[in-house]
């Protein structure tokens, strides 16, 4: 090897090692344990995606409680105790009235419509504004998405809205306020705390996630009645929060890489949920004695009426909630021209199903 060739090789080696040492490490806490299918693996999948495409940043995944408890992730990310968090804004409903509008809206948009509002209308603008206006030092990126969830596991059958009165139930986001209107006492428990609460009778019922996720937590051992549809979460959005100082220290390439990895994660997360839940429902019934129940029209109307009351009250007391709610409602009104014409009507008695 000539001296010139050797010098070139050494320079290339130093360049590679220099690039590697310059790669920024982000410690990311997740709201969901990595052993939870779909829900927990989504944050792991994001980390795998960003680490496979970026030479600028590297993310390290931590389960809930390893760095901070799940319900403390927003504050920890804002103050820099952690660099990033994978979560859903519905967890912050007690801090900001509008938080649930960017997570899951009762009787609201399904995934396609929700994505349209978030990415191509005003949703993401308001999403970031909510954190900014409330003094949180975070950058928010849409990073995961679910189809509807099951709307609850109950120890006893619910035959009318009156049967809900007096129940203690784990419930999430804006849907919890609906249940409170109907006489349910609600609490927001992290995933790992739900089964013990059901087992010792601290709660009578719970909603958490999709059938496969819920099955992995064993709810069917105690609560045999699984209710559908997920009126409280027709779609669920998941966020990546990054400490804003860390975000602004990144160059445009690194920022773009993170956003692209999140966009890929959206598609992956949604498709996995659509593919893996019907086998889980079948297994729940055939192997675990679960009864799949559907809310009747009276019950759904009671839920919706209560939700409209909640939305009106929140809009009256919170100007930002009203602004976002009005914007979403305006978008949905216009969107109907498309959805009412392009999609098959529901219910449609398809020949394939006859």
């Amino acid at each position: 090897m000539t001296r010139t060739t050797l010098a070139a090789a050494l320079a290339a080696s130093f360049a590679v090692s220099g690039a590697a040492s310059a790669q920024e490490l982000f410690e990311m806490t997740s709201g969901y344990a990595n052993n939870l299918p779909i829900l927990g693996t989504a944050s792991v999948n994001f980390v795998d995606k960003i680490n496979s495409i970026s030479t600028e940043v590297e993310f390290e995944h931590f389960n809930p409680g390893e760095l901070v408890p799940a319900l403390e992730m927003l504050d920890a990310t804002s103050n820099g105790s952690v660099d990033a968090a994978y979560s859903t804004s519905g967890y912050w409903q007690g801090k900001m009235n509008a938080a649930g509008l960017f997570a899951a809206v009762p009787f609201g948009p399904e995934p396609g419509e929700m994505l349209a509002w978030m990415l191509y209308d005003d949703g993401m603008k308001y999403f970031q504004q909510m954190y900014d206006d409330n003094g949180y030092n975070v950058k928010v990126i849409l990073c995961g998405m679910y189809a509807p969830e099951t709307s609850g596991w109950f120890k006893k059958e619910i035959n009318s809205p009156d049967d809900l009165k007096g129940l203690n139930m784990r419930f999430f986001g804006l849907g919890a306020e609906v249940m409170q209107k109907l006489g349910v006492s609600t609490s927001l428990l992290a995933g790992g705390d739900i089964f013990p609460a059901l087992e010792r009778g601290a709660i009578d019922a719970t909603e958490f996630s999709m059938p496969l996720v819920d099955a992995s937590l064993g709810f069917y051992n105690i609560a045999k009645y699984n209710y559908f549809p997920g009126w409280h979460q027709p779609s669920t959005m998941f966020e990546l929060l990054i400490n804003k100082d860390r975000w602004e220290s990144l160059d445009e390439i690194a920022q773009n890489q993170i956003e692209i990895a999140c966009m890929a994660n959206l598609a992956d997360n949604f498709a996995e949920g659509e593919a893996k839940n019907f086998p889980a429902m079948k297994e729940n019934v055939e192997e675990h004695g679960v009864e799949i129940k559907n809310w009747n029209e009276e019950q759904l109307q009671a839920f919706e009426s209560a939700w409209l009351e909640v939305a009106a009250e929140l809009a009256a007391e919170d100007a930002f909630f009203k602004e976002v709610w009005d914007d979403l409602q305006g978008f949905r009104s216009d969107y109907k021209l498309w959805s009412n014409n392009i999609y098959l009507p529901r219910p449609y008695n398809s020949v394939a199903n006859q």
Side-chain angles (χ1 to χ4, degrees):
M1 181 180 290
T2 67
R3 182 176 299 177
T4 302
T5 305
L6 177 61
L10 288 171
S13 175
F14 284 127
V16 171
S17 62
S21 64
Q23 195 173 43
E24 290 205 43
L25 177 65
F26 282 72
E27 292 185 335
M28 187 195 82
T29 184
S30 175
Y32 316 100
N34 59 6
N35 63 346
L36 286 177
I38 310 174
L39 183 62
T41 54
S43 57
V44 177
N45 291 343
F46 162 72
V47 168
D48 289 343
K49 288 178 176 65
I50 184 61
N51 290 349
S52 71
I53 66 172
S54 181
T55 57
E56 309 283 321
V57 297
E58 180 179 0
F59 277 67
E60 185 176 0
H61 178 280
F62 291 89
N63 278 330
E66 290 183 335
L67 297 180
V68 293
L71 300 182
E72 297 176 16
M73 293 183 296
L74 172 58
D75 291 310
T77 306
S78 179
N79 66 32
S81 298
V82 297
D83 302 312
Y86 184 93
S87 181
T88 181
S89 61
Y91 278 159
W92 325 131
Q93 187 64 40
K95 299 173 180 288
M96 301 170 286
N97 284 331
L101 294 177
F102 306 104
V105 182
F107 296 92
E110 293 182 359
E113 185 180 2
M114 189 69 169
L115 273 181
W117 178 66
M118 292 290 283
L119 297 178
Y120 280 89
D121 198 71
D122 295 325
M124 286 307 300
K125 178 192 76 172
Y126 284 126
F127 203 5
Q128 184 64 58
Q129 182 183 336
M130 177 184 72
Y131 288 118
D132 293 344
D133 289 354
N134 284 277
Y136 290 104
N137 187 42
V138 295
K139 165 71 176 178
V140 62
I141 304 170
L142 203 59
C143 207
M145 177 181 67
Y146 259 14
E149 297 187 351
T150 158
S151 63
W153 296 78
F154 294 81
K155 296 179 181 179
K156 64 178 184 179
E157 194 170 357
I158 307 298
N159 295 308
S160 75
D162 285 342
D163 290 341
L164 293 167
K165 292 178 180 177
L167 291 182
N168 294 310
M169 186 172 185
R170 186 272 183 195
F171 222 93
F172 168 83
L174 290 166
E177 303 200 28
V178 174
M179 297 302 277
Q180 289 166 22
K181 282 274 184 190
L182 296 173
V184 178
S185 176
T186 68
S187 55
L188 181 60
L189 302 176
D193 297 327
I194 299 173
F195 185 89
L198 276 172
E199 190 173 37
R200 68 175 184 268
I203 56 175
D204 307 302
T206 187
E207 64 76 46
F208 183 58
S209 188
M210 293 177 150
L212 179 61
V213 182
D214 293 348
S216 73
L217 292 172
F219 298 159
Y220 56 73
N221 288 300
I222 300 172
K224 295 293 188 181
Y225 297 100
N226 191 198
Y227 274 81
F228 295 81
W231 58 268
H232 66 305
Q233 291 182 242
S235 61
T236 305
M237 301 288 109
F238 295 89
E239 63 186 5
L240 176 67
L241 298 173
I242 299 179
N243 177 271
K244 192 176 281 188
D245 294 332
R246 293 296 313 274
W247 173 260
E248 291 178 350
S249 73
L250 297 174
D251 62 27
E252 187 176 358
I253 291 175
Q255 291 177 351
N256 287 343
Q257 288 168 340
I258 293 170
E259 290 178 335
I260 289 167
C262 274
M263 189 64 70
N265 213 51
L266 278 171
D268 192 11
N269 192 208
F270 178 66
E272 185 179 13
E274 291 290 272
K276 293 183 177 179
N277 277 291
F278 58 86
M281 292 175 70
K282 184 177 180 181
E283 182 176 321
N284 283 342
V285 171
E286 295 179 355
E287 298 185 21
H288 304 302
V290 171
E291 289 192 40
I292 292 176
K293 308 291 289 186
N294 282 271
W295 300 115
N296 61 37
E297 183 130 346
E298 176 196 13
Q299 293 163 329
L300 287 173
Q301 287 179 352
F303 292 136
E304 186 174 17
S305 295
W307 160 240
L308 293 174
E309 288 181 29
V310 168
E313 290 167 2
L314 290 173
E317 70 183 52
D318 187 317
F320 183 71
F321 181 98
K322 183 179 188 308
E323 184 176 353
V324 178
W325 175 244
D326 287 348
D327 188 272
L328 176 57
Q329 293 304 96
F331 178 82
R332 298 201 73 194
S333 179
D334 292 340
Y335 181 83
K336 285 178 182 177
L337 178 61
W338 167 249
S339 61
N340 288 349
N341 286 285
I342 200 65
Y343 294 110
L344 287 169
R346 298 183 193 176
Y348 168 65
N349 189 20
S350 169
V351 172
N353 294 328
Q354 293 177 10

